[in-house]
Amino acid sequence: MPKRTKGLIAAIVSATALCLSIPTIAHAADAEAWTPTESAIRAASAGIALPHTVAGLSLSKSGEASNGGRAVDNYAQYLSEDGAIQATLYVYLPTYADASLAAYMTDKAVMERFGAKTRRTAYASAPVAGRADGAIRAVYDDAADGALTTAAGFVHAGRWIVKIRVTGPTERRGEVLAGLDGMLANLTVDDPASLHATAPASFSACPAAPTADARLTPAKPTEEAAPRDVRIPRDGKDALCIRGTAATADGRYDMLQQAGRSDSAIIVPVDDSGTVLAFDPAANGAGYKLSIHMVGQTDIYGVYDRVPSPHQIAAIIDGKDTQTAEAQAVATYAANGEVTVSRLAQKGR
């Protein structure tokens, strides 16, 4: 695998478009991503479906946003009859799945893209597929200098995240909201028990944390390479606190941990499509193991002797940290749940 240069996040951050733009090219393998029925489009691996027509919006096209042929990053676009109202359903498999973080990072992206006049007018748990608190519903008015209303819904079902975006002219706000609410109401999940209760993330300030730089110790070839589940509450189940902020030329990224737990994992959400840096307490209690989570893939690194400082995290994101120039192993996730771990050769070893 090539080095991650600015790049750690260049290829990664290109996935930010998953929220804010519509792919224009459908891959030949689209049939693997979606299985159309007579009345609905269905992501078979995820067990999630939506009718072809809902709340005045009709299916226009579908495909894979990235990872062509793997069916882990899928989209379906819907349009009103005149094309003025646009909606997109995303069903994707981030290896760190958290609906509250997806909503939080999308909120940041919407505010940054659509300008200072944009107002968040709704942001709360909402019903989906028979579960009263199975989704987060967000509404933004006066976007793009008052020209647009945009709305979003977020669902965590099993290993999958569902994101719905609906946007249209401000004067047709009612249709935008009807589109979002209709999609949430008509979304079906094969296994309702797989739906996670979710709520908007809440944040507080962490106690002052050490800011000394950390040192990375590469894992030994004999050590377990498979990714572990990052030990931190998800989907808004507990308050998070902001330990620090990593500032890069391209943006500012919050270092989050569980409020009131100095020994919890540290996560750094990077974009609105599920890219997360995770520093998880090592199994032996000595240090923090770094993993970088994306759609369908986790890159696995060694163990830092402490939580890296904000400027070190910024260097990791920018691809300028020589300690993390290369992953030691890569875990690739298939839509059917299979995980393939490839250990990578390290220079000088």
Side-chain angles (χ1 to χ4, degrees):
M1 170 166 290
K3 290 184 178 180
R4 290 190 177 279
T5 60
K6 179 147 196 168
L8 172 55
I9 304 280
I12 294 178
V13 169
S14 66
T16 303
L18 181 141
C19 167
L20 296 178
S21 64
I22 306 300
T24 58
I25 299 175
H27 294 280
D30 289 349
E32 298 180 20
W34 298 101
T35 303
T37 68
E38 184 176 343
S39 60
I41 188 166
R42 172 180 167 78
S45 297
I48 292 167
L50 191 69
H52 292 159
T53 301
V54 56
L57 302 173
S58 298
L59 180 66
S60 171
K61 61 181 178 180
S62 63
E64 294 186 61
S66 63
N67 295 291
R70 289 175 54 196
V72 297
D73 193 4
N74 314 308
Y75 77 93
Q77 184 180 14
Y78 287 72
L79 297 172
S80 61
E81 186 174 358
D82 62 0
I85 313 294
Q86 300 186 22
T88 308
L89 165 71
Y90 299 100
V91 180
Y92 60 106
L93 181 66
T95 59
Y96 187 96
D98 183 334
S100 68
L101 276 190
Y104 167 64
M105 293 303 289
T106 300
D107 180 89
K108 292 179 68 173
V110 167
M111 291 298 192
E112 289 171 4
R113 172 171 180 174
F114 288 117
K117 290 185 179 180
T118 306
R119 296 180 299 116
R120 183 192 310 106
T121 54
Y123 197 67
S125 295
V128 68
R131 177 155 194 160
D133 56 359
I136 294 173
R137 178 181 180 273
V139 178
Y140 303 87
D141 287 305
D142 294 328
D145 290 329
L148 299 174
T149 292
T150 187
F154 307 87
V155 178
H156 184 182
R159 298 171 295 114
W160 299 82
I161 293 292
V162 177
K163 181 187 298 189
I164 298 169
R165 282 289 310 279
V166 187
T167 301
T170 295
E171 61 269 21
R172 296 173 65 173
R173 180 180 189 271
E175 293 173 70
V176 171
L177 300 191
L180 174 64
D181 293 338
M183 286 183 157
L184 287 172
N186 287 277
L187 189 78
T188 60
V189 179
D190 285 358
D191 180 12
S194 71
L195 287 168
H196 296 244
T198 189
S202 58
F203 301 96
S204 61
C206 295
T211 57
D213 286 353
R215 184 172 60 88
L216 180 67
T217 300
K220 297 176 181 178
T222 55
E223 291 179 351
E224 179 62 42
R228 296 180 301 162
D229 198 33
V230 179
R231 292 169 289 177
I232 191 169
R234 304 189 194 184
D235 299 308
K237 289 183 174 58
D238 201 353
L240 302 175
C241 66
I242 301 174
R243 180 188 177 99
T245 301
T248 75
D250 296 323
R252 298 172 62 85
Y253 304 91
D254 292 332
M255 301 167 59
L256 306 176
Q257 70 182 86
Q258 187 177 358
R261 289 285 303 273
S262 60
D263 61 342
S264 84
I266 313 297
I267 59 171
V268 185
V270 173
D271 60 33
D272 64 322
S273 61
T275 305
V276 174
L277 278 62
F279 300 89
D280 204 37
N284 60 7
Y288 289 80
K289 187 172 182 62
L290 169 62
S291 54
I292 298 178
H293 300 261
M294 296 159 270
V295 174
Q297 179 176 315
T298 296
D299 288 0
I300 304 164
Y301 297 81
V303 176
Y304 283 90
D305 60 352
R306 65 181 72 201
V307 178
S309 64
H311 83 82
Q312 278 185 296
I313 298 228
I316 293 170
I317 293 172
D318 277 338
K320 296 178 179 178
D321 179 60
T322 57
Q323 295 186 101
T324 53
E326 294 180 340
Q328 294 177 259
V330 172
T332 303
Y333 290 66
N336 64 6
E338 293 180 358
V339 181
T340 302
V341 179
S342 303
R343 181 172 286 281
L344 306 178
Q346 300 295 300
K347 290 183 178 180
R349 294 180 59 188

